[in-house]
Amino acid sequence: MENLIASDPGGRNVFALLVPDQLRLAAQSLRLARRVAIVTGFYIPEADAGETDGPPGAKTLGDALAKLGISVDYLTDSYNAPLLGSLGLEPVTTHDSYLDSAKPSHLVSIERSARARDGRYRNMRGHDITATTPPLDELFLEAARRGLTTIGIGDGGNEIGMGKVFAETLAAIPHGHEIASTVPTDFCIATGVSNWGAYGLAGALSILADHDLLPTAAECSAQIETLVRDGGAVDGVTHRREPTVDGLPLADSLRMLESIRQLIVPSPLERRLPVTVGILGYGIAGRAAASLLARHGHRVCISDLHSVALEEGLTVAGVETGGHTIKFLAQCDLVVASPGVRPDALILTQLHQRGIPVISELELAYQLCPYPLIAVTGTRGKRSTIELMQRFFAARAANGMESRRGRSSRDPTASPLIQRGLEGGLTIGGNKGRPLSALLLESALSIANRQSPIENPLIALAVSSFQLESIVHFRPHIAAILNLHEDHLDRHRSLAEYARIKSRIFMNHRPDDILILPYDDPRLRALARKHHGRTFFISASQPLDRGAWLAGGKMHINLDGMVESIAIQQDEASAEFFPENLLVAKLVTRLVLPDVQ
Ligand code: CA
């Protein structure tokens, strides 16, 4: 969820401000709150109005806390009071004695400007807004002196709370030297849009409370529309009086809300009962997903822009051609959208409005996958890496089977991963190859037909950034990030945003999962700090404590303090492979089949 809400549509380098685990810690602290003061409101002098980012988040978080029986006060200035009033909140606008009279246990700021180094208040563009920004940040400084718990949510580095990441703001944010907040909070939540940070905090509270505390999509829309219509709010980026937030359409807020909800409520597939699943786009991924779902006993409805020729033997509950309609898809418990469906397509917004979860083929297949996965991402060389890995597995498995014949005392079933790797080798697919659904289907068919060798497969997938953007619970046991090449990047995105998207490959990791990062790229090396499992590195130039590196024309691997040196074969050294392809492929092979000589 922390990764999700740090999505950075404004290209502000927000991921550079993300301190791992702050969302969880803030929620755990709030869960125990007695009385919470929520401070919000960002007034825009040029528009003579407050903005749409902040108050909806305040309302969402306040409602969630109220549902948990926690008292909530809303604090703002006189400029923003009408906005909160339009949402049915009664804001406190005189703050001098508030801490003494109300005695809150927690203060939360959502999108509220804080003083910079020179004591002035500035907006994201560096404009001085001190004259129209009463110093509500003083409450947080005083709260810190009194030992109250403080939480700050911001999306630009100039807000209350972001003083915790002052150095990062100076380094990563435009105008950072002028605008960087000097007011820290105990917990600081960096997010792409501040409302999203509040939705995330309400989402994290929902997980702790085991109860969905979020507004419905309709309530979320109504909040923002009411704020503009009755509260006179404007968009903080466009300064126009319209129901957009930070220049983003309402549909983006709904998509974020529903994506957060997917992390709270179980997937319909987890009910282990037959459900009705819509397939949006019957292309390569859609075909494989439909057949896999049918095989698992689910009802499948197919919606495509063009005519549909069903896979042989596939029985479906319905087919819609010539376009996607909500009337057809409203019967579904879940919808799988093909990569061809644009993220801003109307049908997706309509599905979000109805609260019907939308997932990708990769996520669907993952939710139905009984096997451990290896996943490789990076700007280039993903495919080559998993192909090399497959070769290394085959070679090592052949040696292993041979050497094991004389070693009956050792139990080859000790590690299921080793067993899989030895017996079945490595099955590969993913981006530009066979989708995971197709691999699972083949495996199911081979089990039915009693055909080895993919009865018990170990699967390695190449995974693109695009695929990573739409995963929910996808958790490969071993994840590797090869590289991040700027020449391949979309110019609308910041490098920090690419690092965030790549890091989604390990965001669901648990302590026994494994991540491999390139040590030579400081931006990717730094992701280790955000990882919850075991991390290994690769390097083309230097020895490592844990990982694989090249030196003196050889490859060296250090898994547990013992350095193993391996000669590089002629064909492996060829120009078609980058060093990271070889290093990752070899390291993964050793990690899975460690004791095979
Ligand atoms: Ca904002």
Side-chain angles (χ1 to χ4, degrees):
M1 200 178 288
E2 192 161 72
N3 182 298
L4 177 68
I5 62 173
S7 308
D8 189 10
R12 297 178 187 170
N13 266 347
V14 165
F15 194 60
L17 307 185
L18 189 147
V19 184
D21 284 334
Q22 295 285 286
L23 182 70
R24 175 173 63 80
L25 295 170
Q28 285 175 330
S29 176
L30 271 181
R31 181 84 179 86
L32 304 172
R34 188 171 25 78
R35 183 165 190 163
V36 179
I38 300 181
V39 177
T40 193
F42 204 114
Y43 176 75
I44 295 167
E46 299 95 314
D48 187 20
E51 69 154 305
T52 51
D53 194 17
K59 164 89 171 143
T60 296
L61 178 61
D63 285 353
L65 290 166
K67 283 177 200 163
L68 294 174
I70 298 167
S71 307
V72 181
D73 301 314
Y74 299 88
L75 277 64
T76 191
D77 54 31
S78 57
Y79 299 106
N80 288 287
L83 277 69
L84 271 64
S86 75
L87 296 179
L89 310 174
E90 290 173 22
V92 178
T93 53
T94 50
H95 316 111
D96 292 345
S97 59
Y98 172 76
L99 293 182
D100 290 322
S101 58
K103 297 196 170 25
S105 58
H106 288 65
L107 274 72
V108 182
S109 168
I110 304 171
E111 187 80 341
R112 177 73 194 187
S113 180
R115 61 197 67 180
R117 273 191 291 198
D118 59 0
R120 312 293 292 179
Y121 297 80
R122 290 195 178 74
N123 69 14
M124 232 176 55
R125 299 182 185 87
H127 297 161
D128 192 322
I129 52 169
T130 309
T132 52
T133 308
L136 290 182
D137 56 349
E138 180 59 36
L139 280 169
F140 286 75
L141 297 171
E142 178 58 24
R145 286 190 282 270
R146 297 184 184 200
L148 308 180
T149 303
T150 56
I151 297 165
I153 298 174
D155 58 16
N158 57 333
E159 303 90 351
I160 293 172
M162 297 296 125
K164 192 178 176 96
V165 286
F166 180 77
E168 290 84 348
T169 304
L170 293 191
I173 303 294
H175 306 293
H177 283 267
E178 299 158 87
I179 71 168
S181 162
T182 58
V183 179
T185 44
D186 296 317
F187 308 110
C188 140
I189 296 166
T191 172
V193 173
S194 291
N195 282 341
W196 298 357
Y199 298 165
L201 197 44
L205 280 167
S206 301
I207 291 174
L208 296 178
D210 199 15
H211 178 57
D212 183 356
L213 302 169
L214 294 174
T216 64
E219 288 165 345
C220 173
S221 303
Q223 282 172 8
I224 297 171
E225 283 162 352
T226 305
L227 195 63
V228 173
R229 190 184 59 236
D230 302 341
V234 298
D235 182 294
V237 169
T238 66
H239 295 183
R240 286 202 291 267
R241 190 153 293 187
E242 55 193 16
T244 58
V245 180
D246 283 0
L248 303 168
L250 199 49
D252 288 24
S253 294
L254 299 186
R255 184 172 65 222
M256 177 55 67
L257 182 75
E258 294 310 309
S259 299
I260 292 170
R261 202 188 316 275
Q262 283 193 3
L263 295 167
I264 300 170
V265 299
S267 163
L269 293 172
E270 288 175 36
R271 285 183 226 144
R272 304 282 171 210
L273 292 170
V275 292
T276 303
V277 184
I279 300 291
L280 206 52
Y282 196 58
I284 294 168
R287 278 176 179 273
S291 297
L292 182 66
L293 282 161
R295 171 124 206 133
H296 279 260
H298 299 296
R299 282 163 47 94
V300 176
C301 297
I302 293 167
S303 171
D304 199 280
L305 297 176
H306 307 289
S307 62
V308 165
L310 292 179
E311 288 290 323
E312 212 181 303
L314 176 67
T315 309
V316 298
V319 176
E320 163 183 69
T321 56
H324 310 302
T325 68
I326 189 65
K327 187 162 179 283
F328 177 75
L329 291 166
Q331 62 182 309
C332 298
D333 301 297
L334 176 72
V335 166
V336 179
S338 93
V341 180
R342 290 171 51 104
D344 60 353
L346 176 64
I347 187 67
L348 295 183
T349 306
Q350 291 170 327
L351 290 165
H352 296 325
Q353 281 166 341
R354 285 176 184 249
I356 298 173
V358 181
I359 62 174
S360 64
E361 176 276 328
L362 178 61
E363 177 64 26
L364 169 87
Y366 173 75
Q367 292 187 10
L368 295 174
C369 179
Y371 312 121
L373 295 173
I374 297 164
V376 176
T377 192
T379 321
R380 60 186 193 198
K382 300 183 277 289
R383 188 84 205 161
S384 308
T385 302
I386 58 170
E387 283 170 1
L388 263 179
M389 216 181 277
Q390 192 176 40
R391 270 175 47 193
F392 292 161
F393 264 75
R396 204 155 166 87
N399 288 342
M401 291 305 245
E402 195 57 43
S403 67
R404 268 165 199 281
R405 289 219 171 90
R407 291 197 295 158
S408 55
S409 60
R410 282 195 75 156
D411 177 16
T413 60
S415 157
L417 272 188
I418 294 177
Q419 187 68 4
R420 285 172 200 281
L422 283 178
E423 285 184 351
L426 189 68
T427 303
I428 62 172
N431 186 43
K432 293 184 182 163
R434 285 178 304 166
L436 180 58
S437 297
L439 301 180
L440 296 180
L441 197 62
E442 285 164 25
S443 147
L445 294 175
S446 76
I447 289 170
N449 300 331
R450 300 197 170 281
Q451 291 170 349
S452 261
I454 49 171
E455 187 170 310
N456 205 12
L458 185 60
I459 298 173
L461 298 172
V463 183
S464 69
S465 289
F466 186 83
Q467 289 177 304
L468 289 174
E469 283 186 87
S470 58
I471 57 167
V472 183
H473 300 294
F474 179 70
R475 177 171 70 92
H477 174 55
I478 301 178
I481 304 178
L482 295 172
N483 47 42
L484 190 61
H485 288 290
E486 289 166 51
D487 48 328
H488 282 228
L489 304 186
D490 178 331
R491 65 193 162 83
H492 298 298
R493 288 201 173 125
S494 66
L495 269 172
E497 178 66 349
Y498 268 95
R500 181 191 70 83
I501 294 167
K502 291 300 183 198
S503 71
R504 291 175 66 77
I505 199 167
F506 65 81
M507 68 180 177
N508 293 317
H509 265 184
R510 296 176 190 168
D512 60 339
D513 293 323
I514 292 170
L515 171 66
I516 300 172
L517 290 172
Y519 192 84
D520 302 334
D521 184 332
R523 299 161 307 187
L524 296 176
R525 180 174 69 213
L527 293 179
R529 288 202 299 267
K530 296 183 165 80
H531 184 231
H532 286 288
R534 297 156 62 201
T535 309
F536 291 82
F537 292 97
I538 53 164
S539 171
S541 57
Q542 57 187 307
L544 300 163
D545 288 340
R546 273 152 74 95
W549 67 97
L550 298 174
K554 282 189 163 184
M555 191 184 313
H556 309 272
I557 293 185
N558 184 352
L559 291 187
D560 47 17
M562 292 282 286
V563 177
E564 179 192 5
S565 297
I566 308 162
I568 298 171
Q569 306 296 322
Q570 195 85 54
D571 58 333
E572 296 168 6
S574 78
E576 66 181 297
F577 301 121
F578 301 108
E580 58 264 36
N581 305 156
L582 262 180
L583 289 163
V584 164
K586 197 64 107 175
L587 182 55
V588 169
T589 310
R590 282 296 194 274
L591 283 165
V592 175
L593 304 174
D595 67 341
V596 180
Q597 299 305 319

